[in-house]
Amino acid sequence: DAGVTQSPTHLIKTRGQQVTLRCSPKSGHDTVSWYQQALGQGPQFIFQYYEEEERQRGNFPDRFSGHQFPNYSSELNVNALLLGDSALYLCASSFPTGDGGYTFGSGTRLTVV
Amino acid sequence: LAKTTQPISMDSYEGQEVNITCSHNNIATNDYITWYQQFPSQGPRFIIQGYKTKVTNEVASLFIPADRKSSTLSLPRVSLSDTAVYYCLVGDHQGGKLIFGQGTELSVKP
């Protein structure tokens, strides 16, 4: 099953460091969205990429940036990590119109110490 | 995007039917209603989507009244493995961002 693949699954970083998370979308999907999920909360939208461009962005600071590659895979970069950035980071892929729903990966658990 | 309200938690027993109701009073004409299921340390999983009346698939049914100001996710004969958080989302189905609330934590007991 060519679902959404995220790496790494777990990560521990020190405050002030930078981190890069990776996502490979479901086969056939070309749109990738990133979400942050704090413990006990619903996922919060960070941004969405389509055709290698950021198409939509949520209420996150510029420390959060991303990239989409020609093969539709994507990266999420977070600079100057804060303790509050500790969360589960989820990647979701879809068609541009959202038809058929979004397929989420299992996420990357980021812990900032 | 329309805001949704759903119960924080629900308890049920194996074999029972579970109905989770979501309120979305400000739903727009173009909005669809979508439900996701999330297990701990996993991403949400699409369950069902509808616009009006009733939609049924192999795992659930979605009931939407004529005014579309609420919707009910129905899970027939739940099992322990249905213990999860269920999210109701409302959006224009144009592939944009998904707005998640806190969801309903369903606990199924033996």
Side-chain angles (χ1 to χ4, degrees):
Chain A
D1 173 73
V4 176
T5 304
Q6 292 188 244
S7 63
T9 55
H10 296 82
L11 201 54
I12 299 175
K13 287 287 190 179
T14 303
R15 190 172 45 182
Q17 285 188 315
Q18 178 265 343
V19 67
T20 297
L21 310 181
R22 296 177 175 82
C23 171
S24 293
K26 178 180 178 179
S27 179
H29 285 175
D30 56 7
T31 301
V32 174
S33 305
W34 287 91
Y35 291 79
Q36 179 195 66
Q37 186 173 26
L39 205 59
Q41 304 295 317
Q44 300 297 306
F45 176 79
I46 303 176
F47 42 54
Q48 184 182 81
Y49 277 84
Y50 171 65
E51 292 187 338
E52 302 179 50
E53 298 278 339
E54 184 182 288
R55 188 166 84 161
Q56 202 170 3
R57 188 179 181 92
N59 189 25
F60 279 80
D62 292 344
R63 298 186 297 109
F64 289 78
S65 63
H67 188 76
Q68 186 178 35
F69 299 94
N71 66 353
Y72 310 126
S73 66
S74 177
E75 288 182 349
L76 165 65
N77 301 292
V78 186
N79 294 322
L81 284 167
L82 304 174
L83 297 180
D85 294 331
S86 295
L88 180 67
Y89 288 84
L90 295 162
C91 171
S93 72
S94 67
F95 297 111
T97 59
D99 286 339
Y102 290 73
T103 301
F104 282 81
S106 294
T108 294
R109 172 71 63 187
L110 173 65
T111 302
V112 182
V113 297
Chain B
L1 296 172
K3 181 181 176 182
T4 60
T5 303
Q6 49 184 124
I8 296 296
S9 64
M10 292 182 68
D11 291 331
S12 183
Y13 291 92
E14 282 191 293
Q16 288 188 330
E17 177 184 75
V18 171
N19 295 307
I20 306 175
T21 297
C22 178
S23 297
H24 28 79
N25 292 318
N26 297 322
I27 189 169
T29 303
N30 294 333
D31 285 345
Y32 281 72
I33 300 155
T34 311
W35 286 80
Y36 282 81
Q37 173 194 55
Q38 187 177 26
F39 299 111
S41 297
Q42 291 188 27
R45 181 177 74 101
F46 174 89
I47 302 176
I48 197 166
Q49 182 178 73
Y51 183 78
K52 62 180 180 180
T53 61
K54 176 183 175 182
V55 179
T56 298
N57 62 22
E58 63 276 9
V59 298
S61 294
L62 179 60
F63 298 92
I64 306 169
D67 66 6
R68 303 198 331 121
K69 293 184 183 298
S70 67
S71 59
T72 299
L73 175 72
S74 181
L75 304 172
R77 296 183 300 282
V78 294
S79 65
L80 297 177
S81 63
D82 292 315
T83 294
V85 178
Y86 292 83
Y87 294 97
C88 165
L89 286 77
V90 172
D92 64 6
H93 195 54
Q94 290 302 306
K97 63 183 178 182
L98 300 177
I99 305 294
F100 288 85
Q102 280 201 299
T104 297
E105 187 171 5
L106 173 65
S107 177
V108 180
K109 303 174 182 177

